[in-house]
Amino acid sequence: MEKISNEQELFELFCDKEHYIKKYNEPFLNVVYNEVWATDGYMVVAVKPELVSGRYRENRLSMNTPFGKACDRTVTLKAIKDALSKLPMMEENFEDEGEKCDECGNSGYVEYKYISKDGFTYATKLYCPICNGHGYVNGVVEKLGRMVAGLHAPIRLGEAYIMAHMISKIAQAMELLGIDELIMAHKGRRDDNTVEAYELQADEVRFFVMPMFVEDVHNVIEIEI
């Protein structure tokens, strides 16, 4: 694969600039795999350093997915677009953000602390329960009168269901990179308590996407593979 000419546009699809975990805010050189990663914690695009022109800070992020186990199936950009075209349509809304949340200081996150019986204090950050992680309260939803695809619907890929907005990002990334087909290197195994990320490959680029826990999906939209 040739050097990526639009790497910033590609990475911005997958980063979450507002996430409280800093490594999710911008691309980084993941020294665990020697790849440049961009992730929001639910999706990853990983590319070999020689494919990009920028210099990225080093960081570490390991995943428990057993990478690189090909399952002899491929998924095409055309099949992905066909599935996205079948999404239910819904009326587009505009949400006025409202007032800044005083509880979390507009960050969307609050710190929870726990003191063990031995006197140790443990702390973690979670979505603010007052604003549900939005950072704003008392917003007003306005209907815009336009119909758009419902990107929160599940789409079936192989043995798992993935949110449509994640599938849409993969399609956008494939178009940016000029990729027509991806190898399904890992199928996203799941059981009653855990799921493993899908791994999709194309030359020296990999995508990881976290499947959903869903049951009894009606009118299933499935990507042909």
Side-chain angles (χ1 to χ4, degrees):
M1 180 178 287
E2 298 180 356
K3 239 183 184 6
I4 298 172
S5 61
N6 45 16
E7 62 192 81
Q8 291 304 316
E9 188 177 356
L10 172 69
F11 292 148
E12 285 175 3
L13 279 174
F14 295 88
C15 288
D16 180 356
K17 296 182 183 298
E18 306 298 324
H19 204 287
Y20 72 93
I21 298 177
K22 298 301 182 185
K23 71 180 70 174
Y24 296 166
N25 298 163
E26 59 186 15
F28 60 93
L29 176 61
N30 191 341
V31 297
V32 179
Y33 304 104
N34 190 35
E35 294 173 320
V36 178
W37 280 33
T39 178
D40 60 1
Y42 299 96
M43 301 185 70
V44 177
V45 60
V47 303
K48 292 296 183 185
E50 55 267 26
L51 294 183
V52 298
S53 302
R55 299 187 65 179
Y56 299 93
R57 62 183 176 82
E58 294 185 358
N59 214 321
R60 304 178 67 87
L61 182 61
S62 298
M63 296 178 65
N64 63 359
T65 298
F67 296 154
K69 292 187 176 181
C71 64
D72 298 324
R73 288 189 289 182
T74 59
V75 56
T76 65
L77 178 59
K78 180 182 182 303
I80 291 174
K81 286 185 171 182
D82 286 347
L84 290 170
S85 71
K86 299 173 185 176
L87 287 170
M89 303 300 288
M90 56 188 298
E91 189 169 5
E92 185 179 15
N93 296 327
F94 168 76
E95 185 172 353
D96 174 27
E97 290 182 329
E99 308 163 12
K100 291 183 178 180
C101 178
D102 291 333
E103 198 71 33
C104 64
N106 191 223
S107 70
Y109 300 92
V110 293
E111 187 174 89
Y112 285 79
K113 291 184 177 180
Y114 169 74
I115 300 176
S116 71
K117 63 181 180 181
D118 298 320
F120 293 102
T121 300
Y122 300 89
T124 186
K125 286 186 176 181
L126 297 172
Y127 284 127
C128 173
I130 306 302
C131 66
N132 294 318
H134 294 297
Y136 296 87
V137 294
N138 301 325
V140 176
V141 176
E142 176 186 352
K143 294 186 179 297
L144 297 180
R146 294 193 297 266
M147 302 302 289
V148 294
L151 290 177
H152 291 287
I155 292 180
R156 185 170 177 174
L157 175 59
E159 300 173 3
Y161 290 92
I162 300 170
M163 285 283 251
H165 72 87
M166 296 182 179
I167 297 292
S168 177
K169 286 184 179 181
I170 289 176
Q172 292 175 65
M174 291 175 72
E175 289 185 321
L176 285 173
L177 294 168
I179 295 172
D180 294 321
E181 184 176 272
L182 294 172
I183 299 171
M184 297 170 61
H186 187 264
K187 297 187 291 184
R189 182 183 62 83
R190 58 158 290 184
D191 55 35
D192 291 338
N193 300 307
T194 60
V195 295
E196 292 176 347
Y198 254 98
E199 180 187 356
L200 303 166
Q201 298 180 350
D203 293 331
E204 297 173 295
V205 176
R206 302 193 295 171
F207 299 96
F208 304 100
V209 56
M210 188 59 65
M212 304 167 59
F213 282 111
V214 294
E215 300 291 343
D216 300 324
V217 177
H218 299 287
N219 301 319
V220 174
I221 298 173
E222 187 166 358
I223 299 176
E224 183 179 347
I225 54 178

